[in-house]
Amino acid sequence: MKIKKADFVKSAVYEKDYPEQLNKKEFAFVGRSNVGKSSLINSLTSRLKLARTSKTPGRTQLINYFLINDEFYIVDLPGYGFAKVPKEMKKQWGQTMERYIASKRDKLVFVLLDIRRIPSEEDIEMLKWLEYNNMDYKIIFTKIDKLSNNEKFRQLKEIRTKLVFENEDVFFHSSLTHKGREEILAFIEQEVLK
Ligand SMILES: Nc1nc2c(ncn2[C@@H]2O[C@H](COP(=O)(O)OP(=O)(O)OP(=O)(O)O)[C@@H](O)[C@H]2O)c(=O)[nH]1
Ligand SMILES: [Mg+2]
């Protein structure tokens, strides 16, 4: 799929503020803070600064809606699991994200996992929750430019002690080199055409 147009629509906290549901499903990106959600959205849309990114975890605090090709939404969500933020704020952003996931919006959720890390309890909880609620989701391993092929192989073995998956069922992506971008875009296209 070619993304010809990507426009910021609005930021929201509560469901009443989400933009009107389109007749296509929307694609949301979740994962721990700093995993690369906003960077991935910029990579997919080939726009450097569409979604705000930062070295400091907790950049994205609201739900950000982007309209793609005037056809469907991409949704950037606040992350979970960041450390250096007051508890009350953490709780609020977490609830904003959870309310979105629990909402009845017609959506597909991409769960992002940093390839260099063993999935956290929160990652596992998120995946279990999506499974339990029968929601459409896909895993994307991010920051794959940070590992050599050998390291990647070893790391996947470690990750598999926590999480069962087939390589064919997950995506691998780098926002630096854009490796893996076309596969994700092809998948999104297939879902949009459904
Ligand atoms: N090398 C490398 N760095 C990346 C990649 N993706 C993201 N980063 C870096 O990781 C940091 C966090 O990226 P963000 O996209 O802001 O992460 P986020 O998940 O949106 O974080 P929050 O909004 O805080 O939840 C930034 O410094 C990015 O440049 C990647 O694929 N490769
Ligand atoms: Mg972000």
Side-chain angles (χ1 to χ4, degrees):
M1 131 168 298
K2 271 263 173 299
I3 294 190
K4 290 165 283 192
K5 208 159 171 269
D7 300 298
F8 172 73
V9 180
K10 71 187 297 197
S11 298
V13 173
Y14 299 102
E15 188 164 359
K16 66 173 173 48
D17 305 315
Y18 301 170
E20 62 166 331
Q21 169 88 50
L22 304 174
N23 62 359
K24 303 274 185 203
K25 79 172 60 157
E26 53 196 49
F27 300 87
F29 296 81
V30 298
R32 65 187 299 151
S33 203
N34 215 46
V35 70
K37 298 175 292 297
S38 300
S39 301
L40 174 58
I41 289 173
N42 291 338
S43 167
L44 293 178
T45 56
S46 301
R47 292 269 301 272
L48 276 178
K49 289 183 181 164
L50 186 66
R52 292 219 280 166
T53 66
S54 168
K55 282 195 173 57
T56 314
R59 171 81 268 177
T60 312
Q61 301 160 20
L62 303 167
I63 296 173
N64 292 310
Y65 267 93
F66 303 97
L67 180 63
I68 307 302
N69 293 348
D70 293 321
E71 199 182 9
F72 64 92
Y73 295 123
I74 274 183
V75 188
D76 193 10
L77 296 173
Y80 47 79
F82 30 72
K84 292 178 190 142
V85 176
K87 243 199 186 129
E88 199 43 41
M89 284 168 94
K90 233 193 252 190
K91 213 172 117 194
Q92 277 175 27
W93 304 346
Q95 285 172 348
T96 302
M97 180 272 293
E98 284 173 11
R99 269 194 302 264
Y100 173 81
I101 302 280
S103 75
K104 292 271 183 282
R105 306 282 288 192
D106 183 15
K107 58 181 165 321
L108 190 142
V109 179
F110 288 106
V111 180
L112 276 58
L113 299 172
D114 187 326
I115 186 104
R116 298 166 305 167
R117 287 168 169 265
I118 305 297
S120 69
E121 285 311 310
E122 281 165 305
D123 292 326
I124 301 291
E125 257 175 52
M126 174 59 69
L127 289 165
K128 276 191 186 155
W129 193 39
L130 293 167
E131 250 337 299
Y132 179 80
N133 288 294
N134 245 327
M135 290 194 199
D136 266 350
Y137 75 90
K138 279 279 177 188
I139 292 172
I140 301 178
F141 286 103
T142 63
K143 308 195 185 185
I144 56 161
D145 56 277
K146 300 246 191 193
L147 297 186
S148 68
N149 272 341
N150 266 340
E151 288 168 334
K152 181 179 152 188
F153 185 78
R154 266 201 306 262
Q155 184 60 14
L156 285 176
K157 213 167 143 188
E158 287 294 320
I159 293 173
R160 283 205 162 84
T161 62
K162 277 260 178 182
L163 192 69
V164 183
F165 60 91
E166 300 293 333
N167 280 357
E168 300 79 54
D169 295 335
V170 300
F171 295 104
F172 297 92
H173 181 266
S174 165
S175 294
L176 204 69
T177 65
H178 304 298
K179 194 158 188 254
R181 173 168 71 183
E182 296 313 315
E183 285 85 347
I184 298 170
L185 286 174
F187 172 75
I188 290 178
E189 176 166 43
Q190 176 197 315
E191 289 293 314
V192 168
L193 291 174
K194 257 186 190 172

